[in-house]
Amino acid sequence: MFEQVDATVTVEEAPSWHRGVFDFPNPVNDYAARSTAGLVITLAVAAIVVDQPWLYGILALGFVLRVAGGPRYSPFGRLAVHVLAPKVWRREKTVPGPPKRFAQAVGLAFTGTAFVLSLAGFGLAAQIVVGALIAAAFLEFAFGVCLGCIAFGYLQRAGVIPDDVCEACNDVTLFGRG
């Protein structure tokens, strides 16, 4: 009457509450990434001008959301993927996702540092840190040069990041293009 079912489940088959929740897209549309960088530049310039902790916090939160799930949770990411890239750039060029996620994590380190510095009353130091972020974001936006992606490539070649994290990244060139 009842059919016996094998109850052994491997780890790969086991359901997971987080499967898909923190996935980062791979590959990524390079023009969407460049659009996001342009939006980051705009908010970062405003943060430097206003020089208030809450604005550095919003900037850092955007990076947290993009590290967590790419454009899924980030308003800038959604705007870039669904509006700016298709309607402004009107092109698509796919590049590996893991270096872009790494670049977002580097951006989080910069903006998180700026947020803490600003909270501690070191506004000028926060402005300098965000100024460096603006320089990196500008290279991404204007020229498609992703400094975080370049660093990812060097770290992977040095063995710090395992090859299986991004097999396509063995081809990352000096200009961060896969």
Side-chain angles (χ1 to χ4, degrees), residues 37-87:
L39 294 168
V40 166
I41 291 167
T42 304
L43 183 56
V45 167
I48 286 175
V49 170
V50 174
D51 193 27
Q52 291 295 314
W54 63 270
L55 203 45
Y56 294 115
I58 290 172
L59 193 58
L61 178 61
F63 280 99
V64 166
L65 296 173
R66 286 187 295 281
V67 168
R72 179 180 305 133
Y73 307 120
S74 165
F76 280 2
R78 287 213 174 259
L79 181 61
V81 168
H82 299 292
V83 178
L84 298 176
K87 298 206 183 320

Side-chain angles (χ1 to χ4, degrees), residues 19-35:
R19 184 168 292 142
V21 174
F22 297 115
D23 287 348
F24 194 88
N26 188 24
V28 173
N29 180 355
D30 189 51
Y31 292 101
R34 291 172 74 172
S35 298

Side-chain angles (χ1 to χ4, degrees), residues 8-177:
T8 60
V9 177
T10 64
V11 174
E12 290 83 54
E13 297 170 346
S16 174
W17 67 270
H18 65 79
R19 184 168 292 142
V21 174
F22 297 115
D23 287 348
F24 194 88
N26 188 24
V28 173
N29 180 355
D30 189 51
Y31 292 101
R34 291 172 74 172
S35 298
T36 302
L39 294 168
V40 166
I41 291 167
T42 304
L43 183 56
V45 167
I48 286 175
V49 170
V50 174
D51 193 27
Q52 291 295 314
W54 63 270
L55 203 45
Y56 294 115
I58 290 172
L59 193 58
L61 178 61
F63 280 99
V64 166
L65 296 173
R66 286 187 295 281
V67 168
R72 179 180 305 133
Y73 307 120
S74 165
F76 280 2
R78 287 213 174 259
L79 181 61
V81 168
H82 299 292
V83 178
L84 298 176
K87 298 206 183 320
V88 175
W89 294 95
R90 296 182 186 170
R91 295 185 233 174
E92 186 170 323
K93 174 184 170 197
T94 58
V95 295
K100 294 296 186 184
R101 184 178 221 174
F102 179 80
Q104 292 298 318
V106 172
L108 173 57
F110 272 72
T111 57
T113 299
F115 179 57
V116 170
L117 287 168
S118 182
L119 284 174
F122 298 105
L124 178 59
Q127 290 171 315
I128 291 168
V129 170
V130 171
L133 175 84
I134 290 170
F138 180 77
L139 288 173
E140 170 78 14
F141 173 71
F143 306 110
V145 176
C146 175
L147 296 180
C149 300
I150 293 168
F152 183 95
Y154 282 120
L155 290 170
Q156 191 171 35
R157 282 191 284 281
V160 176
I161 297 173
D163 286 342
D164 64 347
V165 170
C166 181
E167 293 175 9
C169 298
N170 294 328
D171 189 12
V172 174
T173 66
L174 178 62
F175 295 106
R177 298 178 179 136

